Amino acid sequence: LDNLIVTSLSERAIDLNEHETVYIPKTISQIEPATFLSDYIKEVIVDPQNPCFRTIDGMLVETATGSCIFYPPEYPASSLIIPEGIHTIQDFAFSSCVNLKQIILPESLHSIGYEAFEHCEELTDLYIPSAVSHIGDYAFDDCPKLRLQVHEDVYHKIWGYFREFEELDFELVKKRPSM
């Protein structure tokens, strides 16, 4: 494998259970969802010359699509306002984040992936904006303290999701809350 250039990372390709930092070199152009399934990661560093990925407030983001791929489970922030321009939260992106208590999603968000926020046991507040038209199964599984604030337009678009997962604690809101 000497002198080979790695350009993509596939699902569960790397065992990261002993690493606190992930470095994304400039050669990586593709990262699949669920590549970084580890409870120990505190930080993702992207080479500044990588044209495909960047970090924003700890999140690993695909630049061209505005897709949040991963947020380190051990990242020290307790609250996060995800900026406008993020359109998708990938499967497992925020899985097992131990410090996050509050998240406000951007109005630009359209899709929340499968188990995107699972096992976020300290998460208490999460706002789902009006543009969201898809929420993956078990997106909020094992989040015992979570109270969702759901824009009423989302509820009317995908009310079946909320009926299927009756255990979700949520309230309908007309506008984005302040943090």
Side-chain angles (χ1 to χ4, degrees), residues 7-145:
T7 60
S8 66
L9 297 173
S10 62
E11 183 176 322
R12 301 173 195 223
I14 304 168
D15 180 8
L16 297 168
N17 282 331
E18 297 179 12
H19 302 281
E20 292 183 356
T21 302
V22 173
Y23 177 76
I24 308 296
K26 66 182 179 181
T27 59
I28 297 294
S29 60
Q30 180 181 2
I31 300 174
E32 292 183 14
T35 295
F36 309 110
L37 290 180
S38 168
D39 294 342
Y40 303 102
I41 299 172
K42 291 182 179 179
E43 179 181 34
V44 175
I45 299 171
V46 177
D47 186 304
Q49 295 181 26
N50 185 313
C52 302
F53 299 97
R54 61 191 168 129
T55 55
I56 302 172
D57 295 328
M59 295 181 299
L60 176 61
V61 174
E62 185 175 16
T63 306
T65 63
S67 181
C68 174
I69 296 171
F70 178 71
Y71 187 84
E74 292 280 338
Y75 195 78
S78 63
S79 64
L80 177 66
I81 298 174
I82 298 177
E84 292 300 323
I86 301 298
H87 302 288
T88 303
I89 294 178
Q90 293 287 352
D91 297 351
F92 307 103
F94 287 84
S95 180
S96 300
C97 287
V98 297
N99 296 314
L100 278 176
K101 294 180 179 170
Q102 295 178 308
I103 301 173
I104 294 183
L105 303 175
E107 295 297 330
S108 59
L109 189 71
H110 296 282
S111 179
I112 297 172
Y114 175 80
E115 295 188 9
F117 296 94
E118 68 154 352
H119 305 301
C120 291
E121 295 178 4
E122 297 304 314
L123 188 59
T124 58
D125 298 298
L126 186 130
Y127 166 68
I128 300 179
S130 63
V132 171
S133 59
H134 171 78
I135 299 175
D137 287 345
Y138 310 106
F140 310 104
D141 194 37
D142 198 21
C143 297
K145 300 177 184 178

